């Protein structure tokens, strides 16, 4: 008799045998007649669509509208004599982005892995070859170098002082006000009226401000809706339900008309500020429900365990409940941020020249008559780029916070 | 059947100084169910009290009133000389002196084992981080989890998690420890490691109130065994008497079902 002990069994996992391309195709695409038919039909349709799109993009489309109006797309009617300030703003963001990247990846063995180098190379090639960016490549290429350089510095600094992360967050916070100063002027810089803020710059400013304002507001509303105090609970619920029942466009118009009514006569907040406040107030209601879902998903035992240790309510909330609730709610919260970003396109309706609004005013120019497809495709790719970046970031954060199996 | 006539109670004789005094505690759930029907009980310093009873008898609810996790409507509970009131400060003060271990462990999954144990000493006792960590490491060594200090709870087995939960409660240096069915959610092979830690704790003179179905533990470690049923306290007795010559008919019936 032989007994089988775990040791006597082979201890190596059987190798997973990769399929040859032919075998893979046979298994996944042509396993039976129906799947073969589906494959053939879909490949035909897809190929035809791609062919038509490529054919249009390379022969029919007149792309000059994009490179001719890069300035408008990026900054609206911002005076071109002051473009240096916008470049300075971009440089500041690149420095901070590089620094953050370095600090965040301080524990990686190599910062510039093969994939990262390929990515940097691709970005540089894109800058030089892409017609809209080609004229500025002498400014854009140093920006890429700055990101990479700051990443190396940030990694070094992060290794020597692991607590540096909160200082980087503080820098980001301060950079917001520096950005406003660079764009708007004052304090020694030529002032630029907000009427001349526009394009992608305004879109990003509105989105960042909206997100920064709506997050704390949404958090408070979510906590308010679960509060033990009836008045706080009713007010939060009423706010959420009323705002969710009103379309954003109506809300934006009300913001333009109503916000000045609540303020003393003579103080008339800027149009952009009013629009951002309306956007944030609107998104906060949706965000509150996302956070509330997260709060409800934290098991009751967590609160009981914290309380049984003598932790008071604010500490329990801040250290035990919220970190878990927000982690659960990340996908929904980022979804709300993405939709806020896309909702900035509605600012065009209240007369602000954000990216989509600029696109429409360019299309109204007789020299670019009928260039709809080119302009909207270009804008679509820009919006997609930023939304996809947010969604990638949320996945990274989720992975980082996952403590279940590691 | 003969029972080994060894000294059954723990090495230290319980004093007569009461730590918890519950008088005629009555509780109704929000749906009107009368879960505690006037329960009185005193826990003395250094004593190990085991509470047994069928499910739904109100035993968990009863011990959860000791640290005000469950409010009650009538009667009074005094912990370490302080009467539980509705005042939040009073409740927080009492909770600092009463440790609790839950059936579902309830470790904080987003914090490491070490952070779980140091959290309350740092935020409630206001100890410096270094002192809290030093004490936490000693406790983790005592419950045999020292090597896992920097792991997250999700990476530990159930038995290990429950031992961390015990260390987390002990870190607050409580006057009394409440155990709410600490082994009921564990796989059978992990029950022993948790009971061993509890045995050690009892030997060290800790005042303990344990809701448990572990008869072996009750026989060996308890100073007193209590049976609850239907929201009432049926019988209190020494373990020998409770298991061998129970006074009440209900106790005999209960024991016949679990032994």
């Amino acid at each position: 008799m032989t007994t089988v002990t775990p040791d006597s069994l082979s201890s190596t996992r059987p190798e997973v045998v990769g399929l040859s391309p032919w075998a893979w195709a046979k298994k996944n695409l042509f396993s039976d007649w129906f799947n073969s038919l589906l494959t053939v039909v879909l490949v035909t349709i897809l190929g035809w669509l791609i062919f038509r799109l490529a054919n249009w993009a390379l022969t029919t489309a007149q792309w000059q509208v994009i490179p001719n109006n890069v300035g408008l797309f990026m900054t609206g009617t911002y005076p071109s004599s002051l473009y240096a300030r916008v470049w300075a703003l971009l440089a500041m963001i690149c420095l901070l982005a590089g620094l953050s990247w370095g600090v965040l990846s301080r524990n990686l063995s190599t910062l510039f892995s093969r994939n990262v180098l390929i990515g940097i190379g691709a970005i540089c090639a894109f800058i030089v070859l892409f017609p809209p960016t080609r004229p500025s490549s002498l400014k854009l290429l140093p920006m890429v170098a700055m990101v990479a350089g700051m990443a190396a510095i940030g990694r070094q600094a992060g290794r020597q002082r692991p607590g540096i992360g909160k200082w980087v967050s503080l820098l980001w916070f301060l950079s917001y006000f520096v950005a406003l100063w660079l764009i708007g002027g004052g304090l020694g810089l030529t002032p630029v009226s907000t009427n001349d803020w526009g394009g992608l710059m305004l879109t990003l400013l509105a989105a960042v401000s909206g997100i920064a304002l709506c997050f704390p507001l949404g958090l408070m509303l979510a906590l308010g809706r679960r509060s033990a105090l009836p008045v706080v609970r009713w007010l939060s619920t009423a706010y959420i339900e009323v705002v969710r029942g009103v379309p954003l466009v109506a809300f934006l118009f009300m913001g333009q008309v109503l916000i000045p009514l609540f303020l003393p006569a003579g103080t008339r907040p800027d149009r952009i500020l009013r629009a951002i406040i309306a956007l944030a107030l609107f998104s906060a209601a949706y965000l509150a429900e996302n956070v509330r879902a997260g709060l409800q998903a934290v098991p009751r035992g967590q609160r009981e365990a914290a309380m049984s240790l003598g932790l008071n309510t604010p500490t329990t909330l801040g250290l035990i409940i919220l970190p878990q609730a927000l982690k659960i709610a990340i996908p929904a919260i980022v979804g709300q941020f993405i939709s806020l970003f896309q909702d900035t396109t509605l600012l065009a309706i209240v007369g602000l020249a954000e990216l989509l609004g600029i696109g429409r005013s360019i299309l109204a120019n007789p020299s670019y008559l009928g260039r709809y497809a080119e302009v909207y495709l270009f804008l679509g790719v820009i919006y997609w780029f930023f939304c996809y970046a947010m969604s990638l970031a949320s996945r990274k954060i989720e992975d980082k916070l996952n403590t279940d199996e590691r | 059947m003969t029972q080994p006539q060894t000294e059954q109670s723990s090495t230290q004789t319980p004093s007569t100084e009461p730590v918890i005094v519950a008088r005629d505690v009555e509780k109704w759930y929000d749906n009107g169910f009368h879960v505690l029907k006037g329960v009185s009980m005193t826990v003395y310093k250094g004593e190990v009290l085991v509470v047994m009873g069928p499910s739904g008898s109100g035993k968990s609810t009863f011990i959860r009133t000791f640290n005000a996790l469950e409010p009650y409507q009538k009667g009074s509970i005094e912990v370490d000389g302080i009467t539980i009131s509705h005042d939040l400060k009073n409740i927080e003060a009492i909770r600092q002196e009463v440790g609790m271990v839950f059936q579902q462990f309830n470790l904080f999954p987003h914090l490491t084992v070490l952070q779980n144990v140091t959290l309350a000493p740092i935020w409630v006792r206001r100890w410096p981080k270094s002192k809290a960590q030093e004490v936490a490491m000693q406790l983790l060594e005592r419950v045999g989890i020292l090597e896992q200090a920097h792991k997250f709870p999700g990476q530990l087995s159930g038995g290990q998690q429950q031992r961390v939960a015990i260390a987390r409660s002990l870190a607050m240096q409580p006057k009394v420890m409440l155990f709410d069915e600490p082994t009921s959610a564990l796989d059978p092979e992990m029950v022993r490691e948790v009971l061993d830690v509890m045995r050690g704790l009892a030997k060290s003179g800790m005042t303990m109130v344990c809701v448990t179905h572990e008869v072996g533990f009750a026989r060996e470690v308890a100073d007193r065994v209590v049976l609850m049923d239907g929201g009432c306290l049926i019988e209190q007795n020494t373990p020998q008497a409770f298991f061998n010559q129970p006074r009440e008919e209900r106790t005999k019936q209960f024991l016949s079902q679990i032994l």
Side-chain angles (χ1 to χ4, degrees):
Chain A
M1 278 284 283
T2 55
T3 50
V4 179
T5 63
D7 290 69
S8 70
L9 294 168
S10 91
S11 57
T12 51
R13 182 183 165 183
E15 230 172 277
V16 181
V17 186
L19 292 172
S20 71
W22 175 239
W24 182 90
K26 186 159 175 152
K27 181 171 174 243
N28 293 291
L29 301 175
F30 301 102
S31 54
D32 59 33
W33 69 267
F34 182 67
N35 284 346
S36 310
L37 185 70
L38 271 185
T39 304
V40 170
V41 170
L42 286 178
V43 164
T44 314
I45 294 175
L46 219 61
W48 182 74
L49 283 176
I50 291 171
F51 171 75
R52 288 299 299 264
L53 187 67
N55 193 30
W56 169 81
L58 295 174
T59 61
T60 324
Q62 297 177 25
W63 290 108
Q64 309 87 300
V65 61
I66 311 294
N68 289 356
N69 294 296
V70 171
L72 279 175
F73 278 121
M74 292 302 123
T75 56
T77 53
Y78 200 81
S80 51
S81 56
L82 299 176
Y83 274 176
R85 273 153 58 175
V86 181
W87 284 111
L89 168 57
L90 190 60
M92 176 179 75
I93 292 172
C94 286
L95 286 175
L96 279 174
L99 190 67
S100 312
W101 175 27
V103 171
L104 285 176
S105 49
R106 61 175 175 270
N107 292 328
L108 298 184
S109 51
T110 50
L111 187 56
F112 299 110
S113 65
R114 199 172 54 114
N115 285 349
V116 171
L117 287 176
I118 291 174
I120 291 176
I123 290 171
C124 292
F126 178 84
I127 287 171
V128 176
L129 297 176
F130 190 53
T133 54
R134 199 209 307 258
S136 316
S137 32
L138 280 181
K139 294 191 184 98
L140 286 170
L141 288 177
M143 299 271 176
V144 177
M146 263 177 357
V147 172
M150 282 310 285
I153 294 172
R155 180 159 169 267
Q156 215 50 40
R159 288 194 163 182
Q160 271 153 25
R161 295 188 49 193
I164 203 169
K166 51 179 177 280
W167 295 105
V168 177
S169 308
L170 183 68
L171 282 179
W172 275 112
F173 180 73
L174 295 176
S175 78
Y176 176 77
F177 299 97
V178 177
L180 283 182
W181 173 62
L182 282 172
I183 299 171
L187 298 172
L189 293 180
T190 325
V192 178
S193 151
T194 50
N195 290 332
D196 290 329
W197 301 14
L200 180 63
M201 184 178 76
L202 178 60
T203 293
L204 291 178
L205 185 73
V208 169
S209 315
I211 287 170
L213 277 176
C214 88
F215 184 68
L217 206 61
L219 203 63
M220 284 193 316
L221 282 169
L223 295 175
R225 196 165 181 174
R226 284 167 57 94
S227 166
L229 307 169
V231 178
V232 176
R233 193 166 62 237
W234 294 333
L235 284 177
S236 306
T237 311
Y239 178 88
I240 292 168
E241 296 304 344
V242 167
V243 171
R244 291 204 305 170
V246 179
L248 177 55
V249 179
F251 211 75
L252 284 172
F253 277 117
M254 283 198 289
Q256 296 297 315
V257 180
L258 284 181
I259 291 176
L261 291 184
F262 292 116
L263 295 166
T267 54
R268 211 177 141 71
D270 186 81
R271 275 189 319 151
I272 293 179
L273 183 62
R274 272 178 283 163
I276 289 172
I277 290 175
L279 199 60
L281 289 176
F282 180 81
S283 295
Y286 289 85
L287 196 76
E289 290 296 272
N290 296 338
V291 174
R292 189 167 70 97
L295 287 170
Q296 274 171 351
V298 178
R300 209 174 64 137
Q302 291 291 309
R303 176 180 285 266
E304 289 183 348
M307 292 195 313
S308 79
L309 289 168
L311 266 67
N312 58 24
T313 312
T315 322
T316 304
L317 202 61
L319 296 179
I320 306 301
I321 309 295
L322 274 182
Q324 296 183 58
L326 292 179
K327 184 187 135 189
I328 296 166
I330 284 172
I333 289 173
V334 174
Q336 190 55 43
F337 287 168
I338 287 176
S339 99
L340 187 149
F341 182 76
Q342 292 172 348
D343 285 344
T344 59
T345 52
L346 288 173
L347 299 190
I349 292 177
V350 291
L352 296 175
E354 51 68 62
L355 188 52
L356 191 73
I358 280 288
R360 299 214 309 207
S361 59
I362 289 170
L363 286 171
N365 180 340
S367 25
Y368 302 114
L369 215 55
R371 296 281 77 82
Y372 296 104
E374 292 85 346
V375 168
Y376 284 129
L377 193 67
F378 176 65
L379 296 185
V381 170
I382 294 182
Y383 281 107
W384 170 82
F385 172 81
F386 284 100
C387 293
Y388 187 63
M390 281 196 259
S391 138
L392 273 187
S394 101
R395 252 183 280 166
K396 283 258 178 208
I397 297 171
E398 272 180 76
D399 286 348
K400 213 177 165 69
L401 295 181
N402 179 22
T403 56
D404 290 343
E405 307 276 333
R406 227 197 302 211
Chain B
M1 213 174 111
T2 54
Q3 285 294 320
Q5 290 300 310
T6 50
E7 180 57 55
Q8 300 251 329
S9 59
S10 57
T11 46
Q12 275 147 349
T13 30
S15 68
T16 50
E17 185 189 328
V19 179
I20 298 174
V21 182
R23 288 190 197 93
D24 300 318
V25 176
E26 292 201 57
K27 178 182 168 68
W28 286 263
Y29 283 141
D30 286 340
N31 61 16
F33 180 70
H34 198 180
V35 57
L36 298 177
K37 299 171 182 166
V39 189
S40 299
M41 195 169 86
T42 306
V43 183
Y44 295 98
K45 191 161 183 287
E47 179 182 40
V48 177
L49 188 84
V50 165
V51 183
M52 302 188 100
S55 69
S57 60
K59 54 192 191 304
S60 281
T61 308
F62 184 48
I63 73 160
R64 283 158 60 92
T65 58
F66 296 171
N67 63 350
L69 280 185
E70 298 277 357
Y72 54 91
Q73 282 78 37
K74 275 192 183 171
S76 74
I77 295 176
E78 217 174 89
V79 177
D80 197 31
I82 315 169
T83 307
I84 294 178
S85 71
H86 289 294
D87 178 45
L88 212 59
K89 286 275 162 263
N90 158 289
I91 289 177
E92 277 163 18
I94 285 173
R95 283 176 180 156
Q96 292 176 27
E97 307 306 329
V98 182
M100 185 156 208
V101 175
F102 299 86
Q103 182 176 355
Q104 300 295 340
F105 330 137
N106 294 349
L107 291 180
F108 306 130
H110 61 302
L111 302 177
T112 63
V113 165
L114 185 62
Q115 286 168 333
N116 262 280
V117 180
T118 56
L119 182 87
I122 290 174
W123 287 88
V124 181
R125 293 262 190 251
R126 302 277 164 197
W127 288 0
K129 201 174 169 189
S130 54
K131 181 185 174 191
Q133 284 184 342
E134 197 180 310
V135 172
M137 290 312 247
Q138 282 168 9
L139 284 169
L140 287 174
E141 188 171 15
R142 187 165 152 195
V143 300
I145 312 276
L146 196 56
E147 312 79 62
Q148 329 276 358
H150 295 285
K151 286 191 180 167
F152 285 95
Q155 298 164 295
L156 304 185
S157 72
Q160 290 173 323
Q161 290 194 45
Q162 193 61 296
R163 286 186 279 153
V164 174
I166 294 173
R168 178 176 71 176
S169 285
L170 288 175
M172 284 295 284
Q173 304 183 326
K175 298 230 164 60
V176 52
M177 287 279 285
L178 309 175
F179 292 84
D180 187 3
E181 306 202 27
T183 56
S184 300
L186 293 175
D187 290 339
E189 75 266 27
M190 293 169 184
V191 169
R192 195 199 168 97
E193 63 190 56
V194 171
L195 291 181
D196 281 345
V197 169
M198 290 170 65
R199 270 188 201 101
L201 201 56
K203 277 212 182 73
S204 73
M206 173 62 78
T207 314
M208 292 161 65
V209 182
C210 315
V211 172
T212 182
H213 300 294
E214 297 294 333
V215 175
F217 177 80
R219 275 189 208 274
E220 184 196 339
V221 182
D223 297 301
R224 210 157 30 121
V225 182
V226 167
L227 180 77
M228 278 186 75
D229 189 26
C232 298
L233 211 150
I234 306 289
E235 174 166 356
Q236 312 194 33
N237 224 327
T238 61
Q240 300 101 305
F242 184 90
F243 290 109
N244 302 334
Q245 303 102 34
R247 279 194 301 267
E248 304 289 330
E249 199 51 43
R250 181 70 190 89
T251 313
K252 286 176 193 158
Q253 197 189 335
F254 174 73
L255 289 174
S256 73
Q257 276 158 354
I258 62 163
L259 288 178

